[in-house]
Amino acid sequence: MRYSLDFNWLWDGMGALAYGAGTTLALTVSTSVLGIVLSILGAAARRGPYPWLRKAVGLYVEIMRNTPFLVQLFFIFFGLPSLGIRLDPITAAVFAMTLNMAAYTIEVVGAGLDAIPRGQKEAAQALGLRPRLVFFKIILPQAIAIIFPALTSQIIIMMLESAVVSQISVRELAQEADLLQSRTFRSFETYLVATLIYLSMSAALRRLLFAGKRRFLGAGLA
């Protein structure tokens, strides 16, 4: 069976795909910032002096890592309204993606913290530095430098998983591609273009993140 490729629809549909790609990137950036902040706090809590807090963070990690992201998303968007908590699709998507990402990056950040020699912390405290200052100025920057490749991969994975939020009508790239192919009946071409856009965004985001690492962490930590 011969199939004739047709991309004549692309000019009219590129605006919708560009909008979807922009939404996907916005979701990824906001989720990454919030997720990394939450994961740093969670990793620190798991190594803190409070047993109840360590257990609570550990339970959160186990629950989120052992349940499907789609179920978590549906619970937040469809389940919480039963308790009187209603979130619009974008807010629900960011909330679900942040909680999911943090559950994985808590372990990643924790591995980086454990890789820093304990002597550095003890030496800094011997100089009279406060524990919080030691953590944020000495330990954490080195830990981030160590785990940066894994952290970058997790951000890319989260960007790709953002396609799931199309199930609650968030107009990201996958949703726009689906709507476009339903109008043009050119499924192969539409999803081929969407795939190329995802590949381009992944490559650009990875390059941007590593450029940011060299700039902000410095050559000494790279």
Side-chain angles (χ1 to χ4, degrees):
M1 180 178 179
R2 300 182 64 181
Y3 183 82
S4 179
L5 294 175
D6 180 9
F7 291 96
N8 291 328
W9 55 269
L10 187 57
W11 181 258
D12 293 331
M14 188 52 71
L17 292 176
Y19 178 87
T23 302
T24 295
L25 289 175
L27 288 172
T28 303
V29 171
S30 56
T31 295
S32 298
V33 172
L34 295 173
I36 290 173
V37 170
L38 186 59
S39 65
I40 291 172
L41 297 176
R46 291 200 78 174
R47 287 151 184 78
Y50 305 106
W52 64 270
L53 188 55
R54 294 199 300 267
K55 292 179 180 179
V57 174
L59 180 62
Y60 156 71
V61 169
E62 290 302 315
I63 290 174
M64 299 303 292
R65 293 183 66 168
N66 289 282
T67 54
F69 175 55
L70 182 60
V71 173
Q72 299 165 15
L73 179 66
F74 281 177
F75 177 80
I76 290 172
F77 188 69
F78 296 114
L80 291 184
S82 300
L83 303 178
I85 304 174
R86 299 183 181 277
L87 303 175
D88 63 84
I90 291 291
T91 303
V94 172
F95 188 31
M97 290 171 64
T98 298
L99 292 178
N100 184 270
M101 178 179 175
Y104 288 90
T105 49
I106 281 175
E107 297 299 317
V108 174
V109 174
L113 295 176
D114 293 338
I116 306 303
R118 187 174 181 84
Q120 292 196 28
K121 179 179 178 181
E122 294 173 348
Q125 290 177 337
L127 293 174
L129 298 178
R130 283 183 253 178
R132 185 175 300 177
L133 187 63
V134 173
F135 179 79
F136 285 105
K137 292 294 186 180
I138 298 176
I139 304 300
L140 184 60
Q142 296 182 77
I144 295 297
I146 292 172
I147 64 170
F148 200 84
L151 199 59
T152 297
S153 295
Q154 193 60 49
I155 292 173
I156 300 298
I157 290 172
M158 206 67 245
M159 184 191 75
L160 301 180
E161 282 195 357
S162 68
V164 176
V165 304
S166 63
Q167 298 300 308
I168 59 172
S169 300
V170 176
R171 293 184 58 189
E172 43 69 63
L173 180 56
Q175 171 79 341
E176 292 294 343
D178 188 54
L179 293 174
L180 191 58
Q181 69 84 25
S182 68
R183 294 196 300 267
T184 63
F185 301 103
R186 309 302 299 186
S187 300
F188 181 84
E189 293 91 333
T190 302
Y191 290 120
L192 175 61
V193 172
T195 298
L196 294 176
I197 294 174
Y198 273 116
L199 287 172
S200 299
M201 290 195 302
S202 297
L205 186 57
R206 190 179 298 273
R207 184 180 295 273
L208 184 63
L209 287 170
F210 275 93
K213 176 194 176 184
R214 290 192 296 269
R215 179 176 179 182
F216 295 109
L217 295 182
L221 291 178

